[in-house]
Amino acid sequence: MSELGSGLRRNLTMVISVILVTFVSLTFVGAAGVLQMQISQLKGFWYDKVQVTIYLCNDVPANTNCLAGPVTDEQKKTIEGMLGSAAVKPYIESWAFESQDEALVHFQEQFANSPMVDSVEAANLPSSFRIKLTDPEKYQIINETFSATPGVDSVVDQRRVLEKLFSWMNIATYVAIGVAVLMIICAALLIATTIRLSAQSRTREIEIMRLVGASRTVIQLPFVLEGVIAATIGALLASGAVWAIVHFFMGGYLAESNSGTPFISATDALTIYPILILLGVVLAGVASAVSLRKNLKV
């Protein structure tokens, strides 16, 4: 402990550098983990709510299925019958019909601030069947069943829109992980350099200890502990930073401005904190041990 305290005092500037680099690198690691947890929570929330929409033909044909004109009442009844058939019903939890007038009301609500809202009429919008599936993964069955049905313009899976958003969020996660890996490498190199300089500054003391019979473990342990203590402090600071991000930004600002969207809480992120601390300890221990193998040969 005496050697440890002496080493920390002699190399205070380098120890602070190790703390800061470890703090920044593990904060990126924690942020990447939190972001991935948030993506998983959003997927679970939205995938349960997404619908498959069967858009019906209107006065503006969008494909060859609508060349015969707008959907007829008979075609609507046929589609309703297919929705209740034994082949399709097991995949459907519920469905509802949305008329063109209802579609216009929804459009006006969604685009209330858009200048184009007054130029759109009910006839410009298609009526549709809104379907909630028992399993969102079974969209293709609905698509294959209804896409070629007379009166159907298109079959749209809302999950595809969400997957684009999630793909961008995943890219952000990978970027954070990439930056974190680079920062961890920097932290490992800095820890190794710090320990090596600390050992070199006490070469004479180490030689005396070896001559009087001190074991390699007794000599190396204070240096290893220097790196471990510095990295542990950095990991604790990183855990605090991740907690602040989750509590104040995600659970505070974002949750208040997006009340209909679920965000992870600081409690949900508890599993990340011990991982960050363990990663910091292992990183410092390995970097210190590898560095000392080459610098304590007397």
Side-chain angles (χ1 to χ4, degrees):
M1 294 303 293
S2 176
E3 288 294 324
L4 173 61
S6 176
L8 291 174
R9 286 192 299 271
R10 291 180 184 181
N11 301 284
L12 184 59
T13 303
M14 295 298 290
V15 168
I16 293 175
S17 299
V18 171
I19 292 174
L20 292 177
V21 173
T22 307
F23 160 61
V24 174
S25 61
L26 293 183
T27 298
F28 274 103
V29 174
V34 165
L35 185 56
Q36 199 57 48
M37 291 176 65
Q38 181 61 49
I39 292 173
S40 299
Q41 181 150 326
L42 287 176
K43 282 183 177 179
F45 179 77
W46 287 113
Y47 278 3
D48 288 339
K49 297 181 179 295
V50 295
Q51 297 177 329
V52 173
T53 303
I54 301 177
Y55 289 106
L56 306 180
C57 297
N58 60 359
D59 295 328
V60 184
N63 57 48
T64 54
N65 229 29
C66 296
L67 293 180
V71 63
T72 63
D73 291 337
E74 185 176 345
Q75 289 172 336
K76 289 180 185 177
K77 291 180 180 179
T78 300
I79 296 171
E80 289 179 9
M82 294 173 65
L83 289 172
S85 65
V88 176
K89 191 174 181 179
Y91 302 103
I92 298 177
E93 181 177 325
S94 61
W95 63 269
F97 177 74
E98 181 181 84
S99 67
Q100 289 180 295
D101 291 332
E102 291 171 334
L104 178 62
V105 172
H106 291 159
F107 178 84
Q108 290 173 339
E109 291 174 352
Q110 293 174 350
F111 297 92
N113 298 323
S114 174
M116 60 181 281
V117 68
D118 295 328
S119 61
V120 176
E121 299 178 355
N124 302 130
L125 301 173
S127 55
S128 61
F129 286 95
R130 307 280 178 166
I131 304 170
K132 184 176 181 180
L133 301 181
T134 54
D135 181 359
E137 300 289 339
K138 302 298 184 181
Y139 155 75
Q140 200 58 38
I141 295 175
I142 303 299
N143 182 46
E144 292 174 355
T145 302
F146 291 95
S147 58
T149 302
V152 174
D153 180 15
S154 60
V155 181
V156 177
D157 182 12
Q158 293 179 348
R159 194 179 57 158
R160 291 187 175 182
V161 178
L162 293 175
E163 284 179 344
K164 291 181 180 179
L165 172 62
F166 291 141
S167 66
W168 281 107
M169 295 180 71
N170 281 323
I171 290 173
T173 303
Y174 299 144
V175 170
I177 291 174
V179 174
V181 170
L182 291 176
M183 294 300 297
I184 286 175
I185 293 173
C186 292
L189 293 174
L190 183 58
I191 292 170
T193 302
T194 302
I195 300 305
R196 185 174 68 250
L197 292 175
S198 180
Q200 289 175 350
S201 69
R202 282 178 276 176
T203 302
R204 192 174 187 81
E205 299 171 23
I206 293 171
E207 290 176 353
I208 295 172
M209 292 176 70
R210 293 296 297 272
L211 288 173
V212 299
S215 67
R216 180 175 291 273
T217 301
V218 171
I219 298 172
Q220 289 183 350
L221 189 58
F223 298 104
V224 174
L225 289 177
E226 285 180 27
V228 169
I229 289 174
T232 301
I233 295 173
L236 290 172
L237 291 175
S239 299
V242 172
W243 177 86
I245 291 171
V246 174
H247 182 73
F248 294 107
F249 181 66
M250 301 179 72
Y253 174 74
L254 289 181
E256 290 175 1
S257 57
N258 300 274
S259 57
T261 303
F263 289 94
I264 63 172
S265 64
T267 304
D268 297 327
L270 281 177
T271 54
I272 293 180
Y273 310 141
I275 293 175
L276 295 180
I277 296 171
L278 180 62
L279 184 58
V281 171
V282 172
L283 173 68
V286 172
S288 301
V290 171
S291 176
L292 291 171
R293 287 184 60 185
K294 299 180 179 180
N295 293 281
L296 286 184
K297 294 181 181 179
V298 181

